[in-house]
Every structure is written in structure tokens, then in C-alpha cells.
Amino acid sequence: MATIPENNNLLTAMQSRFFEEDAACLCRLVRICFQMVHPRYEDIDMAGEEKDECLLTAFQERIVLPAHSGPGGGWNDRSLSLQAGEYYTMPPVVWHLMCYAENQGRFLPDQALEKALRSVLGEETTETAALFRESRKHARKGQIEAGLFAALARNLGLDLDLHDTLDCYVLLGIASPCSKGEVHTGLVWYELNPCLFY
């Protein structure tokens, strides 16, 4: 196993969240994602069991996702395949988060959020970012009911098209529709990216 220098900023950031072994393999996986937009399973240079454990952790944390969507399009609809030919992707907001960690040695989720939003919205990110930050405070186990976004936007006096805002969140990997919604209640839930709680 290749060793990562102790003065490595990304490793320092990872070690603030993960055990040493997990932090080291996640650093390697993130660097592969920096080099390749959609790395394949066979492009990830790790031993089989280590690679599989690393990908499982990265998937649970939503650092890396299978490139193919499931029937509902949400993260929890994607099945993680650990075999040759499978492609993976890093959500845009996570890519920005990891770039900040590489440069600063710590995770800066709010800055990554702003940078990701600017890539789609230009400079008009204040309200969209404010709604996410407020939503994050109200999330239960990292999830939030869709109707709460509207209530929070009203409370904050935000003038947002919520449909467009949620589409933007999904596009950037900030949030994802969840298939846990109960059919008889009609409630739709969103999972917020765990990386934005770092």
C-alpha cells in the first residue's frame, strides 16, 4: 500500500472525520476522481477488499456514487456494484469540498456549497445557499420533508422558485429525492449530502 505524506492537507481533513485507514484510502479515491470524471472500478488502484470497503464508505458518505441512476433517480435508488465495468462519479458539491480540503487541510462545506451554486447560478447564490443552511439545521438523520423547504423559505423571506431550487440541489449533489416517502401520506423526502455536515 502506497503511503501518503503526513503533511498532506487532504489526509489531515479526512483524519478529522475518519479512522486513519479509511482516511488514507478515501484520499486515494478522491485523487482518482480528481483525475478522471467517471473512474471505473478497475481504475481504482487498491487491493480488492480494501477497494470495496473504501467504495462502500465513500458511497455511504455520498463522496462517490454509482454513475448510473436507479429507477427513481435518488441516491438510495442506486445500487453500488463492486465489479469491473462499473463507473463512479463524485457529485459537484463534493468535488469542491474536496478541493478546499486539499488546499486548506480542513472541510469547508459552506464555501463548497457557494462555489457549486455559483457554477450554475452565477453570483446570485445568497438565497439558495441560505435555504440549504437553514434546512440543514432542521434535518432529521440527514433528511428533510420537501414541504419544509417551502415553510423555511417563507420564514426567511426568500423569493425562490422551489422547484428550480430543488432541481439545482439535485444537479449539484447537494440533496437527492429519497424513496422513503410514504405512499399513503404523499410526503416526499430529500436526503441532504452528508459531506455538507462535515
Side-chain angles (χ1 to χ4, degrees), residues 13-184:
M14 287 291 189
Q15 286 175 332
S16 72
R17 298 287 311 176
F18 301 98
F19 293 118
E20 194 168 330
E21 261 184 47
D22 291 336
C25 81
L26 287 170
C27 279
R28 288 163 57 202
L29 180 59
V30 165
R31 291 223 172 86
I32 290 166
C33 290
F34 282 165
Q35 294 168 2
M36 303 176 194
V37 177
H38 296 294
R40 297 171 303 167
Y41 181 81
E42 55 269 31
D43 295 327
I44 300 168
D45 185 25
M46 296 180 204
E49 192 173 312
E50 178 191 22
K51 184 192 312 194
D52 292 353
E53 286 298 319
C54 187
L55 283 166
L56 283 168
T57 300
F59 178 60
Q60 288 169 344
E61 293 288 316
R62 307 310 192 208
I63 295 169
V64 168
L65 300 166
H68 303 291
S69 293
W75 300 329
N76 65 345
D77 285 328
R78 298 185 188 196
S79 52
L80 182 67
S81 178
L82 303 170
Q83 60 187 7
E86 180 65 53
Y87 285 81
Y88 308 99
T89 187
M90 182 184 290
V93 73
V94 177
W95 191 87
H96 290 295
L97 181 73
M98 295 302 161
C99 285
Y100 276 118
E102 181 76 274
N103 291 324
Q104 305 288 327
R106 60 195 175 108
F107 292 116
L108 301 168
D110 287 342
Q111 287 88 331
L113 173 71
E114 291 276 356
K115 188 117 183 206
L117 289 171
R118 275 197 302 275
S119 72
V120 172
L121 303 175
E123 294 304 312
E124 298 300 317
T125 64
T126 306
E127 292 194 345
T128 310
L131 178 61
F132 176 80
R133 284 194 294 271
E134 189 64 23
S135 302
R136 188 171 52 191
K137 294 176 192 173
H138 296 273
R140 292 182 303 182
K141 296 183 181 175
Q143 297 179 351
I144 186 166
E145 196 272 312
L148 190 53
F149 285 113
L152 294 173
R154 272 194 310 276
N155 289 348
L156 294 170
L158 303 178
D159 181 27
L160 289 170
D161 179 318
L162 285 178
H163 186 269
D164 288 349
T165 299
L166 292 175
D167 282 350
C168 181
Y169 288 170
V170 171
L171 174 72
L172 295 171
I174 294 167
S176 172
C178 238
S179 59
K180 89 173 223 171
E182 298 175 32
V183 176
H184 68 280

